[in-house]
Amino acid sequence: MSNRVAVVTGAGRGLGEAIARDIAAAGVSVVLAGRSLEPLEVTQRLIESAGGVALVKQTDVTSAESVAELFDVAVTQLGGVDVLVNNAGVTGQVNLVDLDEAEWDRIFDTNVRGMFLCSREAGRRFAQTGSGRAVNVASVFGLLGRPGFSAYCASKGAVVNFTRSVGAEWARFGAQMNAVAPGYFATDINAELREDQSAMAKVLRRIPAYRMGTPDELANIVTYLALHAPDFLTGQTIAVDGGESSV
Ligand SMILES: NC(=O)c1ccc[n+]([C@@H]2O[C@H](COP(=O)([O-])OP(=O)(O)OC[C@H]3O[C@@H](n4cnc5c(N)ncnc54)[C@H](OP(=O)(O)O)[C@@H]3O)[C@@H](O)[C@H]2O)c1
């Protein structure tokens, strides 16, 4: 795998950091993207100290210009892009009657527009080479409804159906797009929830495995889809959720 290159967005912390480390451990050079430089550099050091190759590129996935620069760096410094992981994402809990346009746009700009911009850049290169893999990080909230999360649920539902459409589109030229739908994993995105014991108890009651996942459990599936899955698997979303979306 040593000549392959992966771009991972939101690679400075949480699930993105675990995914970047796991893909790098498979011998793939990784470009680490996100808005804050320092956490990306920490991930870079972790990958390098494990013997891997990682570059850092400060990127705002909501900006077409910033995303174009990210892919230019991957191509000029590492020779191309074989894998894209659209992991960058934000959430927010507001009931619809109180949801303002700025909050709706913040969530859709990152979770949907960001995925679109990165996928378009990757897809243009995959179409030229006749290969390539994209893995989108959706959410069980994209498969289920959840009061207070209409914008987030709608944005992740968009990720799931974008994955189906683009998976079918790219199959014509030999590239694949799949997605994972994480349930609850302990990261910064749910730090507030984890501090609230009664809310946590309610969450755990909904999860047959009765626990949150560990970032490595998600990273393993993303790496499988990015590097090892058969080419015939495309357009699919795999829930990694301790059974939450099955009941
Ligand atoms: N943890 C869970 O339980 C869970 C469950 C379901 C789905 N997910 C999804 O998994 C993904 C990762 O979440 P996480 O739990 O690891 O959350 P997190 O710890 O909050 O990390 C989110 C990452 O996205 C990056 N990001 C946000 N806006 C960005 C932008 N405009 N441009 C570039 N990067 C941006 C952040 O970096 P900067 O702020 O430095 O840019 C950060 O690295 C998200 O898509 C999330 O919706 C998580």
Side-chain angles (χ1 to χ4, degrees):
M1 299 265 179
S2 56
N3 294 328
R4 300 183 73 180
V5 176
V7 170
V8 179
T9 68
R13 59 175 198 257
L15 300 179
E17 182 211 302
I19 291 165
R21 292 172 64 182
D22 204 54
I23 289 178
V28 174
S29 304
V30 182
V31 184
L32 309 167
R35 291 168 304 179
S36 326
L37 195 54
E38 203 183 314
L40 296 173
E41 289 172 344
V42 173
T43 305
Q44 181 184 36
R45 282 196 290 278
L46 289 168
I47 289 173
E48 287 176 349
S49 65
V53 175
L55 280 186
V56 163
K57 180 70 180 93
Q58 212 169 3
T59 306
D60 181 348
V61 297
T62 69
S63 154
E65 196 185 359
S66 181
V67 168
E69 283 171 14
L70 166 65
F71 280 79
D72 282 349
V73 162
V75 171
T76 55
Q77 298 196 28
L78 293 171
V81 176
D82 305 286
V83 168
L84 165 67
V85 181
N86 280 310
N87 165 77
V90 291
T91 191
Q93 182 173 11
V94 188
N95 287 334
L96 180 62
V97 292
D98 298 317
L99 182 61
D100 62 30
E101 297 94 313
E103 177 64 355
W104 176 272
D105 289 345
R106 183 183 73 86
I107 291 175
F108 266 74
D109 281 353
T110 311
N111 299 1
V112 184
R113 179 183 163 88
M115 172 189 61
F116 148 62
L117 292 172
C118 292
S119 302
R120 188 176 62 178
E121 287 291 339
R124 286 173 176 162
R125 286 159 180 88
F126 295 170
Q128 281 171 359
T129 58
S131 66
R133 297 270 171 99
V135 184
N136 301 325
V137 180
S139 170
V140 287
F141 281 26
L143 307 173
L144 310 167
R146 199 52 57 85
F149 289 93
S150 56
Y152 183 71
C153 288
S155 75
K156 293 298 188 177
V159 174
V160 171
N161 226 18
F162 181 85
T163 303
R164 286 194 184 100
S165 303
V166 177
E169 197 174 302
W170 287 2
R172 306 276 165 86
F173 55 78
Q176 294 78 38
M177 175 179 279
N178 289 290
V180 289
Y184 285 92
F185 287 78
T187 69
D188 289 355
I189 214 167
N190 48 41
E192 226 174 278
L193 165 76
R194 285 181 289 114
E195 276 167 21
D196 180 340
Q197 282 196 350
S198 83
M200 264 307 285
K202 248 169 93 180
V203 163
L204 289 175
R205 276 201 297 275
R206 283 200 299 262
I207 306 172
Y210 205 70
R211 66 172 175 89
M212 286 192 164
T214 65
D216 285 348
E217 289 177 301
L218 189 79
N220 290 344
I221 302 296
V222 173
T223 300
Y224 172 74
L225 291 172
L227 304 179
H228 308 300
D231 289 353
F232 209 52
L233 177 68
T234 197
Q236 300 303 305
T237 297
I238 299 177
V240 187
D241 64 354
E244 186 185 354
S245 63
S246 306
V247 293

